[in-house]
Amino acid sequence: MRNYTIGDVLARYHAMRGYNVMQPMGWDAFGLPAENAAIANNVPPAAWTYANIDHMRTQLQALGLAIDWSRELATCKPDYYRWEQWLFTRLFEKGVIYKKMATVNWDPVDQTVLANEQVIEGRGWRSGALVEKRDIPMYFFRITQYAEELLAGLDNLPGWPERVKTMQANWIGKSVGVRLAFPYALDGQDEKLWVFTTRADTLMGVTFVAVAAEHPLATRAAANHPELAAFIAECKQGSVAEADMATMEKKGMDTGLTVTHPLTGEPIPVWVGNYVLMSYGEGAVMAVPAHDERDFGFARKYGLPIRQVIAVDGETFSSDAWQEWYGDKARGVCVNSGKYDGLNHEQAVDAIAADLEKLGLGEKKTQYRLRDWGISRQRYWGCPIPIIHCDACGDVPVPAEQLPVVLPEDVVPDGAGNPLNRRADFVHCACPKCGQPARRETDTMDTFVESSWYYARYACPDANQMLDARANQWLPVDQYIGGIEHAILHLLYARFFHKLMRDEGLVSGDEPFANLLTQGMVVADTYYREDAAGKKTWFNPADVEVRDGIAVLKADGAPVIVGGTEKMSKSKNNGVDPQALIEQYGADTARLFTMFAAPPEQSLEWSDSGVEGAHRFLRKLWKASFDHVQAGVVAAHTAGELDDAAKSLRRQLHHTIQKVSDDIERRKQFNTAIAANMELMNALAKFDGMDAVSRSVRQEVLEAVTAMLAPIVPHICEALQAELKPGVKLAWPTVDESALVQDQIELMIQVNGKLRGQIRVSANADKASIETQALASEAVQKHSEGKQPKKVVVVPGRLVNIVV
RNA sequence: GCCCAGGUGGCGGAAUCGGUAGACGCAGCGGAUUCAAAAUCCGCCGCCGCAAGGUGUGGGGGUUCGAGUCCCCCCCUGGGCACCA
């Protein structure tokens, strides 16, 4: 509700300013929540999803959002996802999409792949079984091919928040380093173990290398080493989530094999490490315990040698405890490194890379942390991947004329594997190439694919192709609004997809979203109960009551566990339905309250205390206008003599117009815009003149407030406008610069930085006369204790600080 | 663990470029109105203090005439970590 209201306020504001605004709405309809609901309630995800969409549409309409419903789309409809399938086949033929093995969470009891969210403390959410890592074939988008463009493109997005750009840049993670090899011989064959490092300057300090459990070298070593085989099996337990990998205890085991140091020729032991990922880079890392904190801990734990090869002036190395400077690239110089001694980081990397290159054992390389985007999901409720597997022809993309591959909607998943595999009518088909019986791919696409291009489809929802010329007329999106939780994945994928579509000739721009507003999360408390098997049932905050610090379920009065404050989600059942609020107070109060509670970018802990205040303000606005209109509508003030009170009210009015315009347009901060209008209304309430001039100023104020609040509370403002200015459309008010002029201003007086009083000076007084007036003021006389001023700081329009 | 934010009264928050900390609102307190209540209106409202004044923006240090705002260190909360979306 919050993000849609934000969008609607901006849309209405810009419409008032004369722009042609398109505000569309669509439903990101595929995905896990629908499958979870299906499992819980035994209804097909399709039926559940359509019912949900109807419910949400009703709510959005109740909020009075100015949405162009003729452009509505749902990503689970074949007329939407067929174009996604069409593009998939094009990209597959182009090689932008390819197939490789990838590691997933496997639940051995339910025989199904689990989402990271479904792995709780290393166990499957339904079965409770220990989760294993398993390698399966998946389709990947080559997003890494666009890594450099995605990174560089951030510089062309002035309308994006800095923090989002920083997060994306870090995620892409460009680093320049050296790819180098440790040669070894195995079964009489000469092989090379490749690693990537940004610290080639520490190469002489390598005391071991660590490989992933799945690394061929590990597999080979385990063949006649049962203990190692057992360790490798242990490494394959647990989830694939990076957070789990990074926080788990680092463990390793010696393989007994060695590789050769590329420069010294020394034998280097090979270890298997549970923290080394096969799918990351080369699946192997060189370890320099003296200068890498993680390697240091690992070496201490297993008694591996620690060899200092970097020194910093004035610091003493000790292998007893890690010190920050051990990893310092900026100050360190090489020691114990033979011919490289004395070189700094950059020089040493260059020299070592050059030597490795001569040996054919390494070269400088730019690497990205970003990995290719795996989009295969072993789930039913998603867009079918348009591939047919033929024994003779291999993976064959479905020809355009056979699209869409329609997902049957009458399926109820049960949590054990993808039910599509059991749908013979879906699986069996003929190979488009040779006509022989073949099998349809049953994996579906990551739902991020649907959400990567819907914004473009809004421009041409009825086009009989993916996008037509209208997309280029509208794009890029002027104002995109999304939760900060999308800062990396969704927004990076959408940027990537836009470039894919550009390279297919579908759009002409490089970037999809010109201005981005990342709305803060709406968070609420979570409550749950746990059954004997450890399964959690989550309760909605509306059904929970907190008494004397103990949370109890209203229904049965028995306690529930407080799960902390988290973003509203279906899985934690802590969403708040705005329906009740709208029913009790009306859409305008609900909108005003939501916009007044916090600035859009900030997260908001939901609570409806304060909603009364929003409602009260609207009643006051209504009453003030009604009283004024009762006494007769007049023309708004334009010119003529005003007394001080009227002058001051007009100054506040035009100051408010200035502020509110800036708040909405530039700062996108509505709570302060609302507050400024409240202040103005408070001032108007104290302004009681009933003469013709006073009434014309009152008319001017009421007209302006009505217009300024119209984007936020459109219904009441339209009704008020009809009374105040019948037959005239609401228009954004303009600032009368002459009303802002002041002859006298107040300056604060500080003595030694402490506020001691104020003086009134003429608005155009020069620094010298201000200083004289300040020194003569009572405040300074009293607080300077007769001492001579050492320094006088005059900040024009603000304050005077006297240092004694 | 890593990356990104945030932390200001009893509460939501304001302070936009280093210049009056606490705008606006909620809650509370006092008063008016009322037979009474609701609603409405007026006033008070960071903390200590009778006052003068002191003190105060997560904690510690620093820069500056002046720091909520800038710098360094630490603590806590939230978001993300590639299969929630």
Side-chain angles (χ1 to χ4, degrees):
Chain A
M1 159 182 178
R2 190 183 183 201
N3 63 331
Y4 303 129
T5 309
I6 292 167
D8 196 50
V9 171
L10 290 172
R12 286 173 185 272
Y13 170 78
H14 285 101
M16 276 177 85
R17 285 254 146 146
Y19 292 95
N20 180 19
V21 178
M22 183 217 288
Q23 188 180 203
M25 182 60 62
W27 314 101
D28 187 16
F30 276 139
L32 264 192
E35 293 206 12
N36 293 343
I39 295 167
N41 309 318
N42 199 36
V43 288
W48 182 85
T49 300
Y50 293 128
N52 248 320
I53 289 176
D54 286 341
H55 176 70
M56 294 224 0
R57 191 192 299 106
T58 309
Q59 283 199 348
L60 297 183
Q61 284 167 343
L63 270 173
L65 302 183
I67 287 167
D68 180 353
W69 289 105
S70 71
R71 297 174 188 274
E72 178 183 2
L73 55 85
T75 58
C76 61
K77 293 272 183 69
D79 60 359
Y80 179 80
Y81 65 69
R82 67 176 297 177
W83 303 112
E84 189 170 308
Q85 293 176 336
W86 169 80
L87 186 68
F88 182 101
T89 61
R90 306 263 308 187
L91 297 171
F92 183 78
E93 279 162 355
K94 230 171 143 183
V96 175
I97 294 173
Y98 66 101
K99 195 181 191 178
K100 72 169 178 184
M101 299 300 277
T103 317
V104 294
N105 303 309
W106 179 255
D107 184 323
V109 170
D110 275 349
Q111 292 282 300
T112 192
V113 176
L114 297 177
N116 284 333
E117 183 191 54
Q118 298 171 321
V119 180
I120 295 147
E121 284 158 27
R123 292 173 182 273
W125 66 315
R126 297 181 67 240
S127 68
L130 278 172
V131 168
E132 299 165 6
K133 297 186 185 75
R134 178 174 275 209
D135 285 332
I136 58 165
M138 293 223 276
Y139 292 96
F140 281 81
F141 279 76
R142 269 187 225 280
I143 191 171
T144 50
Q145 227 166 45
Y146 288 76
E148 188 59 45
E149 198 195 341
L150 287 165
L151 180 65
L154 294 171
D155 291 338
N156 306 324
L157 292 171
W160 279 42
E162 242 9 88
R163 60 168 160 160
V164 174
K165 290 191 274 187
T166 306
M167 281 191 256
Q168 291 211 351
N170 290 342
W171 184 260
I172 294 167
K174 182 178 184 173
S175 60
V176 181
V178 176
R179 179 174 181 261
L180 58 96
F182 291 80
Y184 62 96
L186 193 66
D187 304 333
Q189 288 274 3
D190 283 336
E191 305 279 353
K192 285 172 185 161
L193 178 73
W194 288 96
V195 300
F196 175 86
T197 177
T198 56
R199 293 304 306 270
D201 56 327
T202 64
L203 184 57
M204 304 311 254
V206 171
T207 57
F208 64 100
V209 294
V211 299
E214 298 84 357
H215 197 279
L217 211 49
T219 316
R220 181 63 182 71
N224 38 28
H225 193 331
E227 216 181 317
L228 183 63
F231 177 69
I232 289 172
E234 189 194 320
C235 288
K236 286 182 179 170
Q237 265 187 7
S239 95
V240 300
E242 194 199 287
D244 294 335
M245 301 295 291
T247 47
M248 72 187 174
E249 193 192 349
K250 311 283 176 289
K251 287 187 191 167
M253 189 176 279
D254 194 351
T255 61
L257 302 174
T258 60
V259 293
T260 309
H261 191 287
L263 296 178
T264 66
E266 250 184 293
I268 302 287
V270 177
W271 282 61
V272 174
N274 66 346
Y275 60 94
V276 186
L277 290 176
M278 194 58 214
S279 50
Y280 245 167
E282 312 283 351
V285 294
M286 67 178 217
V288 185
H291 304 290
D292 178 280
E293 192 168 2
R294 194 168 61 170
D295 295 343
F296 185 88
F298 194 88
R300 296 268 308 167
K301 180 170 178 180
Y302 292 105
L304 289 156
I306 297 171
R307 186 185 304 157
Q308 181 194 5
V309 291
I310 298 287
V312 165
D313 254 359
E315 303 281 6
T316 311
F317 188 88
S318 158
S319 56
D320 294 339
W322 175 259
Q323 295 177 56
E324 274 311 304
W325 69 264
Y326 294 175
D328 194 338
K329 271 193 217 178
R331 294 189 299 154
V333 292
C334 292
V335 294
N336 306 327
S337 299
K339 63 187 270 207
Y340 309 109
D341 281 357
L343 299 182
N344 67 22
H345 168 73
E346 201 183 331
Q347 295 163 335
V349 169
D350 285 347
I352 287 171
D355 288 347
L356 287 169
E357 192 149 10
K358 273 181 235 152
L359 297 167
L361 290 175
E363 73 278 300
K364 277 203 153 182
K365 196 191 162 199
T366 299
Q367 185 173 276
Y368 299 89
R369 204 187 75 97
L370 182 69
R371 311 200 293 259
D372 274 340
W373 176 17
I375 54 123
S376 295
R377 297 290 180 269
Q378 298 68 42
R379 295 185 208 295
Y380 154 69
W381 190 236
C383 168
I385 291 177
I387 292 283
I388 290 167
H389 302 287
C390 169
D391 288 340
C393 311
D395 291 0
V396 182
V398 176
E401 63 275 11
Q402 289 180 26
L403 292 176
V405 177
V406 177
L407 184 74
E409 294 198 346
D410 55 350
V411 174
V412 185
D414 57 9
N418 183 348
L420 281 182
N421 288 318
R422 286 167 258 154
R423 286 285 294 240
D425 59 333
F426 182 84
V427 174
H428 296 306
C429 60
C431 171
K433 268 195 189 158
C434 67
Q436 290 301 302
R439 283 177 311 104
R440 203 177 283 288
E441 171 70 50
T442 56
D443 280 0
T444 53
M445 287 190 223
D446 182 358
T447 56
F448 275 128
V449 181
E450 284 90 61
S451 58
S452 289
W453 68 284
Y454 71 104
Y455 59 88
R457 184 72 185 177
Y458 283 140
C460 48
D462 52 3
N464 193 29
Q465 48 185 304
M466 190 169 187
L467 300 174
D468 65 23
R470 288 171 290 172
N472 276 330
Q473 283 162 29
W474 284 101
L475 292 174
V477 176
D478 291 300
Q479 184 64 62
Y480 195 69
I481 302 170
I484 186 64
E485 72 271 26
H486 294 301
I488 296 172
L489 292 179
H490 163 59
L491 287 166
L492 190 67
Y493 290 144
R495 292 182 60 219
F496 166 59
F497 218 81
H498 196 83
K499 293 172 201 301
L500 293 180
M501 293 194 292
R502 176 200 62 195
D503 293 347
E504 279 295 311
L506 295 164
V507 292
S508 55
D510 292 330
E511 293 284 344
F513 314 127
N515 295 293
L516 172 67
L517 190 150
T518 46
Q519 167 223 349
M521 221 84 38
V522 182
V523 296
D525 290 334
T526 57
Y527 303 98
Y528 66 91
R529 279 183 192 156
E530 215 167 353
D531 68 16
K535 202 183 156 192
K536 288 172 180 172
T537 309
W538 299 87
F539 298 103
N540 195 279
D543 303 326
V544 173
E545 203 173 17
V546 179
R547 278 189 297 225
D548 310 321
I550 296 165
V552 296
L553 191 64
K554 282 181 192 167
D556 57 16
V560 292
I561 301 164
V562 180
T565 309
E566 291 187 60
K567 74 167 168 170
M568 287 189 179
S569 71
K570 290 193 184 84
S571 58
K572 299 281 167 70
N573 190 19
N574 63 339
V576 172
D577 192 336
Q579 199 63 39
L581 208 60
I582 296 170
E583 274 167 24
Q584 193 178 349
Y585 294 100
D588 279 343
T589 296
R591 292 169 62 115
L592 182 68
F593 169 64
T594 316
M595 293 300 95
F596 185 58
E601 300 239 314
Q602 200 165 307
S603 65
L604 169 64
E605 194 170 332
W606 185 262
S607 142
D608 39 22
S609 71
V611 68
E612 281 291 343
H615 196 235
R616 202 173 292 157
F617 173 71
L618 291 182
R619 276 203 308 265
K620 275 194 251 184
L621 174 66
W622 181 268
K623 186 167 184 303
S625 306
F626 181 82
D627 289 348
H628 175 72
V629 168
Q630 283 286 294
V633 168
V634 295
H637 176 86
T638 48
E641 272 306 299
L642 298 175
D643 60 18
D644 283 352
K647 221 184 222 168
S648 148
L649 179 63
R650 276 202 89 224
R651 187 166 54 240
Q652 187 177 350
L653 165 64
H654 288 277
H655 188 76
T656 303
I657 297 173
Q658 206 170 43
K659 179 181 171 49
V660 171
S661 305
D662 185 53
D663 276 351
I664 295 182
E665 188 149 345
R666 181 181 62 88
R667 299 214 299 155
K668 296 182 176 77
Q669 188 169 300
F670 311 120
N671 56 334
T672 48
I674 294 166
N677 275 295
M678 286 176 167
E679 282 180 77
L680 182 58
M681 286 304 294
N682 289 345
L684 183 70
K686 295 195 171 102
F687 178 79
D688 45 20
M690 285 303 284
D691 56 288
V693 179
S694 295
R695 296 201 69 246
S696 74
V697 172
R698 186 173 295 112
Q699 174 89 22
E700 187 188 8
V701 172
L702 288 169
E703 280 181 17
V705 170
T706 300
M708 284 190 281
L709 291 175
I712 297 164
V713 284
H715 309 95
I716 185 173
C717 288
E718 270 160 37
L720 291 176
Q721 171 77 0
E723 296 293 329
L724 287 165
K725 249 185 153 180
V728 181
K729 248 183 85 181
L730 276 163
W732 196 255
T734 46
V735 177
D736 177 359
E737 296 286 345
S738 69
L740 297 173
V741 178
Q742 282 191 82
D743 333 327
Q744 287 225 310
I745 53 170
E746 281 214 324
L747 292 185
M748 295 304 127
I749 302 293
Q750 293 183 343
V751 177
N752 288 336
K754 289 196 176 175
L755 182 68
R756 295 300 184 185
Q758 57 258 39
I759 52 170
R760 286 189 74 82
V761 299
S762 107
N764 50 18
D766 61 10
K767 277 196 177 186
S769 69
I770 291 173
E771 193 174 320
T772 314
Q773 241 193 92
L775 286 170
S777 72
E778 198 188 327
V780 173
Q781 294 302 318
K782 187 173 166 196
H783 290 279
S784 59
E785 295 161 350
K787 290 179 205 155
Q788 279 307 301
K790 278 189 216 148
K791 185 171 181 179
V792 179
V793 182
V794 179
V795 183
R798 291 268 184 194
L799 55 72
V800 184
N801 187 15
I802 288 145
V803 187
V804 296

